[in-house]
Amino acid sequence: MEMDPPPPSGSWSIYTRPEITQKYEILERVGSGAYSDVYRGRRLSDSLTVALKEIHDYQSAFREIEALQMLQNSPNVVVLHEYFWRDDDDAVLVLEFLRTDLASVIREAKRNWGGRISIGEIKRWMVQILHGVDACHRYSIVHRDLKPSNMLVSADGVLKLADFGQARILIEHGSVGVNDDRRTHEQDTPNQASTFQRNDAIYETNDIYRESPRNQEGSIVGMKESFRELDELKAKNLVNEIDKEMGIYDGDASCLATCSTSDIEDDPFKSSYSYEVEGGGGDRRDPLTSCVGTRWFRAPELLYGSTDYGPEIDLWSLGCIFAELFSLEPLFPGTSDIDQLSRIFNVLGNLDEELWPDCLKLPDYKSISFGKTENPSGLEACLPDRSPDEILIIKKLVCFDPANRATAMELLHDKYLNEEPLPVPISELRVPSASCGQDEYSPCGWYDYKGMDSDSDFEDFGPVNVATTDTGFSIQFL
């Protein structure tokens, strides 16, 4: 395939930056979005194929680099080889190139594998996902946009989390991570290991040595030092792009262009969300935004406007992803944020203080209400022909109270993943040859998953009652 000619727009700087072109041959653009573009490239020193991700948004670039640096030794997170960033230009991340993703695995299974992924394969995909998410949460990194198309897959079956443009580091690096009272890798003891029988099949992973990401001068990048000056330099320009009245940056999802070729051109998971205006410290006390992630995988507390949440929102997303591996269909395919909540309630029943007492604290809980769901279908109806143990795995994640969601480490020790049939070896996973199952770099994607941006559209939803209150208004969906 011929190389794309250099675009005329000055904002597409990757072709004109000698510090990049002296080290990499830019072969073609394989993904494009409002805030980033991805190119397939070749490293001139050793002919390694890489992905060059040019990010046009400062906050997204900052977050992705910081998170990937912290996770550089995690085998189930995409590798950041190095990055280029000047104070007058876009950041360009040099990432390992992985040409397919879990979305393509699901699509291929639905079309060509008899409409089913074997239990052993599902368990291996689960194990790899859980290792990646556990690594994030042990560093107090919340990904905030977990979905199948952000889980890239190598030709030999290794799954890696990608697209950290929406990620947040909740507490300082080195502090204890998610749910301090729960088990982590470091807390394993021989006695615990005998309780949770460690099966080598569960813990199979790639022994990959990763060099620390380096900048163009070749020095090892220190997170705090390397970003503090950039933060100060960009702050003045960023203020001009901020809606002074709302105090938020109106961005679009960086997931429009990851290393995956399934997100090309017309991204079906395009999500409109708002970046928080914040310092680079990543302190948990900083305000968060509820408008993150992709609707079908968004936790109900986010749909109700929560700005005080943690890694548990990723765990809800995992439940939706695992359910899709079982059924090859999305669990809650909402057409709007309100419809998303309605679909969740139709399955799980209404959210109330009996199920989760703290739901009363959600910003929009008292403003938006739904008629009583008399006979919720339950997850069993969404996953016909699946075993009780498989249903139970989803129930441990897809539950209203965030504190009741099982952590990634807890699930790695779960009986389901440690009993027959065991996870297959990574080498036995079926992997599509490319994201589309067509020409290797043809534009493709989940075209039936369009229009998943955050919204409050009430059209075509049915009758509603709107009433004024002391603090504003309330909406009841009948």
Side-chain angles (χ1 to χ4, degrees):
M1 179 178 291
E2 296 182 1
M3 182 181 74
D4 288 349
S9 171
S11 64
W12 294 34
S13 61
I14 191 168
Y15 290 93
T16 59
R17 293 169 64 171
E19 73 273 22
I20 297 174
T21 57
Q22 287 172 6
K23 297 182 69 175
Y24 297 94
E25 178 185 5
I26 303 168
L27 300 175
E28 62 185 327
R29 183 158 57 98
V30 297
S32 179
Y35 284 86
S36 60
D37 297 279
V38 173
Y39 303 82
R40 184 171 65 96
R42 183 177 65 88
R43 190 163 62 190
L44 298 178
S45 62
D46 59 3
S47 296
L48 177 70
T49 299
V50 297
L52 298 160
K53 182 174 183 178
E54 184 177 28
I55 305 176
H56 315 307
D57 174 71
Y58 162 67
Q59 286 274 20
S60 181
F62 183 103
R63 289 173 176 169
E64 186 145 15
I65 293 171
E66 188 174 27
L68 289 177
Q69 284 187 318
M70 294 179 70
L71 295 166
Q72 63 184 288
N73 293 315
S74 303
N76 294 110
V77 175
V78 69
V79 175
L80 172 65
H81 294 299
E82 64 175 328
Y83 72 87
F84 301 85
W85 201 353
R86 303 183 305 202
D87 59 5
D88 60 344
D89 224 328
D90 294 333
V92 175
L93 280 59
V94 182
L95 304 159
E96 65 177 320
F97 186 84
L98 301 167
R99 65 188 187 188
T100 193
D101 54 32
L102 192 64
S104 301
V105 171
I106 294 171
R107 184 172 52 249
E108 189 73 7
K110 189 174 180 179
R111 292 177 180 176
N112 300 319
W113 297 347
R116 197 174 184 88
I117 304 175
S118 74
I119 295 176
E121 287 178 287
I122 290 175
K123 288 184 177 182
R124 175 55 63 197
W125 292 124
M126 283 182 167
V127 167
Q128 294 193 83
I129 294 168
L130 290 169
H131 276 301
V133 173
D134 177 63
C136 293
H137 291 178
R138 282 188 287 116
Y139 282 98
S140 295
I141 296 172
V142 187
H143 187 283
R144 302 203 298 182
D145 194 21
L146 292 176
K147 57 187 177 184
S149 61
N150 280 348
M151 297 175 174
L152 307 184
V153 178
S154 70
D156 55 0
V158 178
L159 180 145
K160 303 195 177 191
L161 305 187
D163 202 344
F164 284 78
Q166 295 193 46
R168 275 293 296 269
I169 301 170
L170 296 184
I171 58 179
E172 292 291 338
H173 178 45
S175 301
V176 180
V178 59
N179 294 333
D180 300 348
D181 58 326
R182 298 189 180 191
R183 287 168 36 79
T184 64
H185 281 300
E186 290 75 17
Q187 294 170 322
D188 285 345
T189 66
N191 289 338
Q192 288 170 324
S194 64
T195 302
F196 301 95
Q197 293 183 349
R198 174 170 170 142
N199 191 306
D200 289 340
I202 293 293
Y203 290 86
E204 177 189 347
T205 187
N206 276 11
D207 248 345
I208 301 174
Y209 172 74
R210 298 185 177 180
E211 295 184 354
S212 298
R214 297 172 180 269
N215 63 13
Q216 48 264 48
E217 280 77 46
S219 59
I220 296 179
V221 178
M223 285 185 304
K224 293 291 182 185
E225 293 72 21
S226 62
F227 289 124
R228 184 178 294 112
E229 184 176 351
L230 283 169
D231 197 30
E232 295 171 357
L233 290 170
K234 294 286 185 177
K236 294 180 181 179
N237 294 332
L238 184 63
V239 168
N240 295 329
E241 301 175 17
I242 294 175
D243 184 322
K244 294 181 176 61
E245 196 170 307
M246 298 299 294
I248 55 175
Y249 183 80
D250 188 14
D252 203 347
S254 65
C255 63
L256 292 180
T258 66
C259 312
S260 168
T261 55
S262 73
D263 282 323
I264 295 175
E265 299 296 339
D266 188 3
D267 181 74
F269 282 119
K270 185 176 181 180
S271 58
S272 174
Y273 67 97
S274 304
Y275 285 125
E276 307 88 349
V277 181
E278 62 196 3
D283 189 277
R284 176 63 191 270
R285 293 169 295 178
D286 290 342
L288 300 171
T289 177
S290 61
C291 299
V292 293
T294 304
R295 184 190 307 123
W296 292 0
F297 306 93
R298 193 178 296 150
E301 58 266 33
L302 296 178
L303 295 166
Y304 269 115
S306 176
T307 58
D308 181 21
Y309 54 81
E312 296 82 10
I313 67 167
D314 286 347
L315 302 175
W316 174 279
S317 301
L318 282 189
C320 297
I321 294 165
F322 290 174
E324 192 160 342
L325 283 171
F326 286 133
S327 69
L328 306 184
E329 298 290 346
L331 183 59
F332 301 122
T335 58
S336 69
D337 287 358
I338 296 300
D339 183 52
Q340 188 71 23
L341 279 171
S342 177
R343 289 173 183 267
I344 292 170
F345 296 160
N346 286 338
V347 174
L348 302 182
N350 294 72
L351 172 60
D352 56 35
E353 55 268 36
E354 183 177 341
L355 292 172
W356 179 27
D358 284 349
C359 73
L360 296 173
K361 300 177 183 178
L362 295 173
D364 297 333
Y365 181 75
K366 294 180 180 179
S367 299
I368 300 174
S369 61
F370 291 78
K372 176 71 173 177
T373 303
E374 296 295 341
N375 296 299
S377 63
L379 286 166
E380 291 82 357
C382 302
L383 300 168
D385 304 322
R386 306 311 306 198
S387 73
D389 286 340
E390 290 167 337
I391 301 293
L392 183 58
I393 281 285
I394 308 304
K395 286 183 176 181
K396 289 180 178 180
L397 294 165
V398 179
C399 56
F400 285 125
D401 188 344
N404 290 337
R405 295 171 197 160
T407 66
M409 178 52 57
E410 287 173 339
L411 290 181
L412 282 168
H413 290 288
D414 192 88
K415 175 175 72 75
Y416 174 72
L417 292 177
N418 290 275
E419 65 183 7
E420 297 286 347
L422 293 172
V424 302
I426 290 177
S427 60
E428 294 183 15
L429 287 170
R430 290 174 291 177
V431 178
S433 58
S435 289
C436 303
Q438 305 167 11
D439 180 70
E440 185 173 354
Y441 300 110
S442 297
C444 61
W446 283 5
Y447 288 113
D448 51 339
Y449 290 4
K450 294 179 183 291
M452 295 178 63
D453 52 317
S454 176
D455 61 58
S456 300
D457 293 339
F458 302 152
E459 297 178 5
D460 302 323
F461 189 79
V464 299
N465 286 335
V466 180
T468 58
T469 67
D470 293 338
T471 57
F473 62 90
S474 67
I475 303 172
Q476 182 179 26
F477 295 86
L478 306 176

